[in-house]
């Protein structure tokens, strides 16, 4: 791994993180067929907290300090809502379709950054955002026979995820990324632990092991994601996040016998294409901003 350049290391870690997240989602879909999605969400956060406590134990007293407690609470609550919406959607939708719709969140983040942070939003970015939403509509298909309210859950998850990323941009200016990671795990576990007694179903040993593995896989995926964004520029590794649609499709075919129809496949391709296009435009815009001072 050390023989690779920092960018190549970041790409490998990003692909590893996305593969683990897809594995976690596939496990969540299977468990949600038997257990309330809230219990699956609890396992996801409890497992992550256990791993975080083990890995970060020597530094907890430093990382727990925050100057933005309210924003940390809001940010963690948004991610919890995104996870609950997405895991619930997996009980009703094909995993590939749900994952594809969730992937509108980078475009929604671009829109939110323009509205809230006053970042520039030109016509080409608007086209990319519109195309991504059109791709989501091809999958959701409101008004058709296959439409259900559950089809909107991945879109809601994408909105929550974009809002979470927007809050993370604020925090990233002042606080270590591991502090935000710690609060995400702790607050998610606390909220889930308060809510899960109403939905709790005692699992047999094999399912309890699956719950433990699900939480651990999610935690390792988070660490790889953070590490990827630490060693490489976000713009270099971000497009590889769309590999999740490929992994989700494979898991759906292999384990659940799911084969997305033509319109769903087209919608996924439109979302991926729009996401890569918006990423390309933002990367070029940042490069232009860097070169401008030098030109003057």
């Amino acid at each position: 791994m050390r023989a690779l350049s920092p960018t190549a290391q970041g790409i490998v870690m990003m692909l590893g993180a996305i593969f683990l997240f897809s594995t976690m989602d596939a496990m969540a879909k299977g468990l949600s067929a038997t257990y309330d999605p809230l219990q699956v969400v609890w396992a996801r956060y409890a497992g992550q907290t256990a791993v975080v406590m083990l890995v970060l134990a020597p530094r907890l007293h430093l990382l727990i300090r925050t100057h933005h407690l309210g924003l940390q609470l809001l940010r963690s609550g948004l991610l919890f809502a995104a996870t609950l919406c997405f895991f619930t959607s997996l009980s009703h939708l094909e995993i590939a379709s749900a994952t594809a719709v969730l992937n509108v969140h980078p475009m929604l983040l671009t829109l939110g950054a323009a509205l809230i942070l006053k970042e520039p939003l030109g016509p080409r970015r608007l086209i990319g955002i519109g195309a991504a939403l059109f791709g989501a509509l091809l999958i959701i298909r409101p008004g058709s026979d296959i439409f259900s309210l559950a089809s909107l859950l991945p879109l809601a998850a994408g909105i929550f995820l974009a809002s979470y990323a927007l809050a993370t941009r604020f925090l990233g200016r002042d606080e270590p990324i591991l502090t935000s990671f710690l609060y995400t795990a702790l607050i998610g576990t606390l909220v889930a632990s308060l809510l899960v007694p109403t939905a709790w179903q005692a699992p047999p040993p094999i399912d309890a092991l699956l719950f433990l593995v699900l939480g651990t896989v999610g935690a390792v995926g988070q660490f790889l994601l953070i590490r990827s964004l630490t060693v490489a520029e976000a713009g270099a590794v971000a497009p590889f996040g769309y590999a999740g649609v490929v992994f989700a499709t494979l898991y759906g075919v292999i384990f659940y016998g799911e084969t997305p129809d033509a319109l769903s496949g087209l919608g996924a391709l439109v979302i991926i294409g729009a996401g890569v296009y918006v990423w390309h435009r933002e990367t070029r815009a940042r490069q232009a901003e860097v070169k401008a001072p030098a030109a003057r």
Side-chain angles (χ1 to χ4, degrees), residues 190-259:
L190 176 61
V191 174
S193 297
L194 291 174
L195 297 176
V196 77
T198 62
W200 183 262
Q201 179 182 341
I206 185 63
D207 286 355
L209 178 60
L210 288 175
F211 277 123
L212 177 62
V213 172
L214 181 145
T216 303
V217 166
V220 176
Q222 284 284 356
F223 272 115
L224 283 178
L225 179 64
I226 290 173
R227 185 61 182 161
S228 170
L229 296 172
T230 300
V231 302
E233 293 184 1
V237 300
F240 294 90
Y242 291 102
V245 178
V246 178
F247 294 142
T249 302
L250 291 175
Y251 275 126
V253 171
I254 294 171
F255 293 106
Y256 300 107
E258 299 174 348
T259 303

Side-chain angles (χ1 to χ4, degrees), residues 22-44:
S22 299
T23 302
M24 176 185 69
D25 293 341
M27 294 178 66
K29 181 175 179 65
L31 289 168
S32 294
T34 304
Y35 301 91
D36 191 289
L38 186 58
Q39 186 169 346
V40 183
V41 172
W42 174 85
R44 187 259 184 274

